[in-house]
Amino acid sequence: MKYKENGVYLLQYTTKDHKRKAMILRDESGAKITEERRAEAAARDFLERQKQLRDIETREEYLEEKAKLKKLKARLTITLDDAFELAQQKPHSRSASEQVLRVSQRYWIDFVSFLKDNYQLKTLDEVERAHAEAYYTLRTDLHRREQAI
């Protein structure tokens, strides 16, 4: 917001840490601006430069966060082969019987083989809903064929 005080135009703005600042608007030679049209142009230029600086800082912060997440992801990457055992290590409200665990593991191994053969996936974070739906479709089609025979 620009305003005039004692014949000189000032610009009041807020910094990125939410502090109010006021400054005297000056032209290229450093002289105080006393005309409204020149004050508007100078205020617009100043605010545009401030916005560009904020955008650069925001972009740098974004890239830093992305790098941190990439490092974290590298530490937390779970391979498809290890996923079943890691899932069993988690606390469960009810423990499954050995027979249920064997059946579940057999289905998991079959699913992992399907993913590796058809999509060349290696880690759990690469698996998407479409992969599971494709596997489910394959299993139901096979089941229907077995019933027809």
Side-chain angles (χ1 to χ4, degrees):
M1 177 176 114
K2 67 173 182 45
Y3 61 96
K4 189 173 185 178
E5 189 175 284
N6 296 329
V8 177
Y9 281 92
L10 292 99
L11 174 67
Q12 186 176 19
Y13 63 98
T14 307
T15 63
K16 84 173 187 179
D17 54 345
H18 307 289
K19 291 183 181 176
R20 276 186 161 179
K21 298 279 184 169
M23 62 176 268
I24 296 173
L25 291 173
R26 299 178 184 270
D27 59 14
E28 296 81 30
S29 64
K32 296 176 182 177
I33 296 177
T34 57
E35 298 170 16
E36 184 175 7
R37 190 173 37 173
R38 288 177 51 212
E40 284 180 13
R44 198 174 323 111
D45 291 344
F46 176 79
L47 293 174
E48 183 62 33
R49 281 195 309 270
Q50 290 294 105
K51 183 182 181 307
Q52 288 173 350
L53 289 174
R54 262 196 317 273
D55 290 345
I56 289 170
E57 289 171 358
T58 303
R59 174 89 176 135
E60 287 174 357
E61 289 169 1
Y62 165 76
L63 292 174
E64 287 173 7
E65 280 298 314
K66 187 175 177 182
K68 286 179 190 174
L69 288 174
K70 194 172 185 178
K71 287 178 185 175
L72 180 63
K73 183 180 173 185
R75 278 196 352 243
L76 297 178
T77 300
I78 300 171
T79 63
L80 292 173
D81 297 325
D82 296 337
F84 187 81
E85 287 78 21
L86 290 172
Q88 297 311 308
Q89 291 174 4
K90 289 176 59 176
H92 297 283
S93 58
R94 292 178 28 193
S95 58
S97 69
E98 285 299 316
Q99 183 179 0
V100 169
L101 282 175
R102 282 195 307 272
V103 170
S104 299
Q105 188 171 19
R106 192 170 64 235
Y107 278 124
W108 178 254
I109 291 169
D110 188 44
F111 179 59
V112 169
S113 298
F114 169 78
L115 292 174
K116 288 180 177 180
D117 293 344
N118 296 306
Y119 300 102
Q120 293 74 40
L121 301 181
K122 291 181 176 57
T123 59
L124 192 59
D125 64 325
E126 297 172 323
V127 179
E128 296 177 1
R129 182 182 183 100
H131 300 130
E133 289 172 352
Y135 175 73
Y136 179 77
T137 303
L138 175 74
R139 295 297 305 164
T140 53
D141 289 347
L142 288 174
H143 183 70
R144 285 188 193 130
R145 286 190 203 133
E146 287 174 3
Q147 285 183 340
I149 295 177

